[in-house]
Amino acid sequence: MIVGIEGFEDAGVYKITDEIAIVQTIDFFTPIVDDPYWFGQIAAANALSDIYAMGAVPKTALNMVCFSMKRFGAPVLKEIIRGGVDKIREAGVSLLGGHSVDDEETKYGLSVTGIVHPEKVILNEGALPGDALILTKPLGTGILNTGIKGKILGEDSIRSLVEVMARLNKKASEAMLSVRTHAGTDVTGFGLVGHLKEMIRESIGVEIFRDRIPYFPEAVELAQSGFAPGGLYRNRDFYKVHVISEVQDFFYDIIFDPQTSGGLLFAVAPEDLPEFEKNAARMEVDFRVIGKFLSEPKGKIILREQ
Ligand code: CO
Ligand code: CO
């Protein structure tokens, strides 16, 4: 076993030979959008993301379904699965089977197995002072999902939100692996700050810049009007002691927002940054360099204005 349950890693890693280790993960959740086809795509993209975050290539998947046929009917289930299968195909992954349980509350996701060279696993720890911090999707999905539940998010905003959440982190992972990446993870339930804390632990620090961090513009007004998920406040209460902030307004909330199918977050050696930027542009990967790792203050995340 190379990676087990201790290090809060994105997935487990088990060495088979000197060249091959398998990477395994499972992830599923309740519907976040009304459209079952989009829900299936988002749940699958989210489950695959932990494999990409480890620097691995996903190979096989199993469906995990909780569904009430009596309540919602076969056509809805078919659409959820179709969404999942479309993403599995786009990822170049083989669907081997799955399991379904009769359940009043719908849940869908995947168990995914990938492969990686045992010495090339990307862990969340290992960033060095001076490394550039890169993020590949905008923040604010938790806030916008709360807006969907409150039925105040417009069609266009919903559309751009679901497109981002359904986007695979495949190309982002390929760009990450094209240079010397010291550490990486994906931004999910603990928000940007929570996952950054997993990267720095008490060993190093990091500074992030408000004017470089991508976020959905709708998140501003929604957060100001109190449309924020419970997880945002839980993250803020838990992680705020690790944050030194020059920013006191709404933006402070966005860095704690729990993400669904969020982007990759990783540390690239500074001398490799120009090459990364070139590769990412060629591969059409959306990304922003949002900050830099520091030797001091250890264990702290500094949010600067610019
Ligand atoms: Co993860
Ligand atoms: Co996970």
Side-chain angles (χ1 to χ4, degrees):
M1 187 178 78
I2 300 175
V3 176
I5 56 177
E6 301 82 19
F8 304 103
E9 288 294 343
D10 296 295
V13 185
Y14 188 87
K15 185 169 155 181
I16 305 289
T17 69
D18 287 345
E19 259 86 59
I20 297 174
I22 53 167
V23 183
Q24 292 191 294
T25 183
I26 181 165
D27 222 312
F28 58 94
F29 46 61
T30 54
I32 39 169
V33 289
D34 289 333
D35 185 316
Y37 177 63
W38 277 107
F39 169 55
Q41 288 187 68
I42 294 164
N46 178 70
L48 286 157
S49 178
D50 278 329
I51 301 284
Y52 293 126
M54 301 297 286
V57 178
K59 288 291 178 189
T60 62
L62 301 168
N63 274 324
M64 208 296 317
V65 188
C66 297
F67 191 78
S68 168
M69 214 53 114
K70 218 169 79 192
R71 232 178 122 186
F72 302 109
V76 172
L77 178 60
K78 239 177 109 181
E79 281 297 282
I80 295 173
I81 302 289
R82 187 171 70 89
V85 167
D86 277 1
K87 280 291 145 183
I88 289 168
R89 239 183 242 141
E90 185 187 331
V93 166
S94 302
L95 181 65
L96 299 187
H99 185 67
S100 59
V101 171
D102 190 62
D103 191 342
E104 286 299 301
E105 191 182 36
T106 304
K107 299 169 198 81
Y108 174 65
L110 302 175
S111 164
V112 188
T113 301
I115 55 168
V116 68
H117 191 288
E119 274 145 35
K120 289 182 183 158
V121 181
I122 306 277
L123 300 176
N124 48 30
E125 214 175 5
L128 299 174
D131 282 356
L133 176 66
I134 289 155
L135 174 64
T136 66
K137 283 189 189 183
L139 302 177
T141 63
I143 294 168
L144 267 65
N145 282 326
T146 310
I148 291 183
K149 286 197 190 106
K151 304 208 182 300
I152 58 156
L153 203 64
E155 280 303 315
D156 289 350
S157 303
I158 293 176
R159 184 88 199 169
S160 63
L161 170 66
V162 294
E163 276 171 7
V164 168
M165 290 191 295
R167 189 196 304 155
L168 289 178
N169 281 329
K170 180 175 195 281
K171 284 196 292 184
S173 182
E174 288 163 4
M176 169 176 87
L177 293 171
S178 73
V179 293
R180 271 171 297 177
T181 295
H182 293 142
T185 187
D186 57 347
V187 184
T188 51
F190 300 127
L192 175 66
V193 164
H195 293 281
L196 262 180
K197 182 63 187 169
E198 288 174 344
M199 293 183 82
I200 61 172
R201 315 242 174 142
E202 293 300 321
S203 318
I204 51 171
V206 66
E207 58 181 359
I208 53 176
F209 302 95
R210 172 217 175 102
D211 65 355
R212 296 191 209 161
I213 299 173
Y215 61 90
F216 289 97
E218 296 90 341
V220 180
E221 206 184 324
L222 286 171
Q224 281 169 337
S225 341
F227 280 93
L232 187 154
Y233 301 110
R234 281 193 296 276
N235 287 341
R236 197 173 66 186
D237 288 345
F238 192 78
Y239 290 110
K240 68 179 178 207
V241 338
H242 308 297
V243 178
I244 300 166
S245 182
E246 288 179 356
V247 177
Q248 301 303 336
D249 61 9
F250 73 89
F251 192 82
Y252 185 69
D253 279 349
I254 288 179
I255 61 171
F256 297 100
D257 185 40
Q259 302 301 287
T260 300
S261 192
L264 296 187
L265 181 70
F266 50 96
V268 167
E271 58 273 26
D272 284 13
L273 188 59
E275 196 192 332
F276 170 81
E277 289 176 323
K278 205 178 66 195
N279 296 347
R282 178 171 42 80
M283 297 159 115
E284 296 178 322
V285 173
D286 276 342
F287 74 94
R288 295 271 189 89
V289 181
I290 65 164
K292 196 170 90 178
F293 290 90
L294 308 167
S295 54
E296 300 285 344
K298 294 192 197 320
K300 298 288 184 204
I301 296 149
I302 306 173
L303 175 59
R304 298 196 193 284
E305 287 279 358
Q306 52 192 347

